[in-house]
Amino acid sequence: MQMDYGQNGKVNIGSIVLGFISCVGISIIGNSQQSVLIGIHLLGAFLAFFGGLAYFQLQVWLCYKAHPFKDRHCVGPLRATFCSICSILVITMAILHNTSYKSGAAVCEWALVMSFFVLFGLFGSEFRHIDFHQLTVQKQGLKTQITNGVVS
């Protein structure tokens, strides 16, 4: 993707930060059981789901602002659709959790996770365009020459 480093670059950095925040939330969720540490688990869920949703929404914006690939015309609307679905699921999950409909909130949570997996899968169309470069390491070290106490 070729972008200018003005506004798109700032959004890209913001997207990276939100991606890391979401990953921290996922780690917190995975390492704290809901039945034992409910407050920590909910903090992780908040970071993972709201941070992840913001991350994907920025990716949709970048998808339309970056120089287009041939597949952008397919991927952009799919990402926007799944981001809309995720937004509805996050709001519904929060409402159901706060009104003590835990099983309904759990269904929304799992549907949200599956939608996140689809959104991650949509990056495959962009990863196809990454070139492979081969790195070659020398088998023998460089020979150095010492002249008058100076290594050259």
Side-chain angles (χ1 to χ4, degrees):
M1 246 188 285
Q2 294 177 347
M3 292 186 286
D4 63 354
Y5 290 104
Q7 187 176 8
N8 288 348
K10 291 176 185 175
V11 171
N12 206 5
I13 290 171
S15 177
I16 291 169
V17 170
L18 284 170
F20 280 123
I21 289 171
S22 180
C23 289
V24 167
I26 291 168
S27 179
I28 291 171
I29 289 173
N31 289 304
S32 62
Q33 292 181 356
Q34 182 178 3
S35 59
V36 178
L37 300 168
I38 187 71
I40 304 252
H41 185 82
L42 290 176
L43 171 68
F46 178 82
L47 292 174
F49 293 134
F50 286 95
L53 183 59
Y55 168 78
F56 284 120
Q57 288 172 343
L58 283 177
Q59 290 300 317
V60 168
W61 188 82
L62 284 170
C63 183
Y64 286 105
K65 293 296 181 181
H67 293 291
F69 290 123
K70 294 176 188 174
D71 330 350
R72 191 203 78 179
H73 301 291
C74 277
V75 173
L78 275 173
R79 279 190 186 157
T81 300
F82 273 95
C83 276
S84 299
I85 290 169
C86 289
S87 298
I88 292 167
L89 287 170
V90 163
I91 293 167
T92 305
M93 179 184 67
I95 291 170
L96 290 175
H97 180 78
N98 288 332
T99 56
S100 297
Y101 290 106
K102 305 290 185 198
S103 60
V107 169
C108 288
E109 183 178 338
W110 281 103
L112 181 62
V113 169
M114 294 300 128
S115 298
F116 274 18
F117 286 153
V118 171
L119 283 165
F120 279 121
L122 290 173
F123 283 115
S125 65
E126 293 169 355
F127 291 151
R128 287 188 324 184
H129 301 286
I130 295 174
D131 292 331
F132 174 75
H133 297 281
Q134 187 173 359
L135 177 66
T136 305
V137 179
Q138 284 183 315
K139 292 182 182 179
Q140 296 178 356
L142 296 174
K143 295 184 180 182
T144 57
Q145 183 179 15
I146 300 177
T147 309
N148 296 331
V150 177
V151 178
S152 58

